Amino acid sequence: MADEAARPVLDRGLADPHHLLVLPAEVTADDLEALAVSRDEDAGWAGPSQLRVQAGVQLTGPWGLDRALRGGFDLPAWAEQAYLLLCPVQRGGPLPPELRGIDPVLDAFPEGVPHGVESEALGHLRAFARRLGGAVRLAGSGAVVVPDADAAIDLTVLAPVWLDHDVCLQVLTQTLPEVHSLLDDIPDELARLQVLEGYAIVAHLGEGDLVEVAVGGLQQPPVVLRGTPWAHDGVVAYEVRWRPHHPEQAFAARPSLGQRRARARAGALIERTVLALHALTGGEISDDDGFLVEPGDLGRD
């Protein structure tokens, strides 16, 4: 792992052509490694100060940030260290007009959107920054993206136990309003001919917003559970997601106050639902970035 007691100061000429993961002082190299190995089987230390994020992609660091570089790169005042991304540059076509203003990362590449390995690597950096309270500085435009942790409210219970549809429905009626099973929309004559491999239940929150609970078995354990013995016998995923009526507004870079309030209400319901399911099934809880979430950190509001 990196020696965090003696961070070399990052040189602007070295940093400018590369994407950067920017972090506050309290984040350790071990914190970052733990997240990296949760997302990719090839992740791990490749050498001193070299963290492999996926095949062909590495982060070097941590590098110290001085006042001049913070000011020159327009970084947040809390930025004390950075990791420099080494990965192939892969760009596609221009960003379509209808997608502008939705994702600040895509907005930084109007002439050619990252794809392939570069897009995957930026996805890792954004996930790390969201969990660690950091930011991503994008090469080229120099845009600094600070992920909004409050915007990521979807959660999944990863469990060794399959709950029958009616049992799950009973649980959800205690945690969600106006619950409706999508199986009720299938004609009886068709339902009798099908083998139930999964099901979905929705809750109506008003104004067209929904919380959806989708249940099904996974083909293989997610990376974050690769060292968990029970996961090798099969994993059932209980995905609990917010489905806003106007996703283009709800998931905009700067949602309105009304959308943020609706998101907060949905987030509280999702946390309550996930805790109830987890209490019955055991297993683990993960967020949409693939990181584990402690049950004790949920349902505090």
Side-chain angles (χ1 to χ4, degrees):
M1 75 178 60
D3 180 3
E4 299 181 35
R7 296 174 185 147
V9 175
L10 184 60
D11 176 76
R12 179 166 186 166
L14 173 65
D16 204 37
H18 298 277
H19 305 306
L20 299 177
L21 173 64
V22 182
L23 298 171
E26 63 270 16
V27 176
T28 69
D30 288 341
D31 293 334
L32 183 57
E33 181 204 17
L35 297 185
V37 299
S38 296
R39 286 177 59 92
D40 195 282
E41 293 183 353
D42 290 326
W45 291 109
S49 302
Q50 294 180 331
L51 178 61
R52 185 172 54 252
V53 176
Q54 65 181 76
V57 177
Q58 290 188 3
L59 286 169
T60 69
W63 299 86
L65 300 173
D66 59 20
R67 182 178 300 177
L69 189 60
R70 271 197 300 271
F73 279 1
D74 196 25
L75 299 177
W78 47 256
E80 293 288 342
Q81 57 176 316
Y83 287 79
L84 185 150
L85 181 70
L86 301 177
C87 80
V89 175
Q90 297 181 338
R91 303 287 164 83
L95 180 65
E98 62 271 19
L99 295 182
R100 294 174 185 170
I102 297 176
D103 186 335
V105 172
L106 297 182
D107 286 344
F109 303 96
E111 303 303 322
V113 176
H115 72 97
V117 173
E118 186 180 19
S119 176
E120 293 172 3
L122 288 173
H124 289 308
L125 263 58
R126 179 145 52 171
F128 300 154
R130 184 169 15 245
R131 173 57 74 96
L132 298 173
V136 179
R137 183 189 185 269
L138 300 168
S141 69
V144 177
V145 177
V146 182
D148 182 2
D150 292 336
I153 63 173
D154 296 341
L155 295 169
T156 299
V157 178
L158 302 168
V161 175
W162 169 274
L163 291 181
D164 288 338
H165 169 271
D166 292 350
V167 174
C168 187
L169 183 63
Q170 184 177 11
V171 173
L172 300 186
T173 58
Q174 300 173 38
T175 63
L176 294 170
E178 297 188 43
V179 173
H180 168 74
S181 172
L182 297 186
L183 291 182
D184 294 340
D185 300 334
I186 302 176
D188 290 342
E189 58 272 18
L190 291 180
R192 285 194 293 267
L193 298 175
Q194 295 179 348
V195 176
L196 186 63
E197 296 182 352
Y199 55 88
I201 298 169
V202 298
H204 299 267
L205 308 186
E207 304 296 328
D209 289 3
L210 305 172
V211 165
E212 178 187 73
V213 181
V215 182
L218 301 182
Q219 294 292 331
Q220 58 185 14
V223 175
V224 73
L225 295 183
R226 62 185 170 186
T228 306
W230 63 259
H232 298 289
D233 295 326
V235 177
V236 180
Y238 299 81
E239 300 181 7
V240 189
R241 302 185 178 278
W242 181 39
R243 302 296 190 193
H245 185 56
H246 297 288
E248 73 286 354
Q249 299 175 18
F251 300 132
R254 294 180 177 86
S256 67
L257 178 60
Q259 290 290 349
R260 293 199 301 272
R261 286 173 174 167
R263 183 181 70 195
R265 180 188 178 225
L269 291 170
I270 287 171
E271 290 188 7
R272 188 167 69 183
T273 298
V274 161
L275 287 173
L277 291 170
H278 182 260
L280 279 180
T281 65
E284 300 286 354
I285 300 170
S286 75
D287 61 19
D288 256 12
D289 287 325
F291 304 138
L292 295 184
V293 178
E294 289 294 330
D297 292 336
L298 302 176
R300 292 182 172 182
D301 295 337

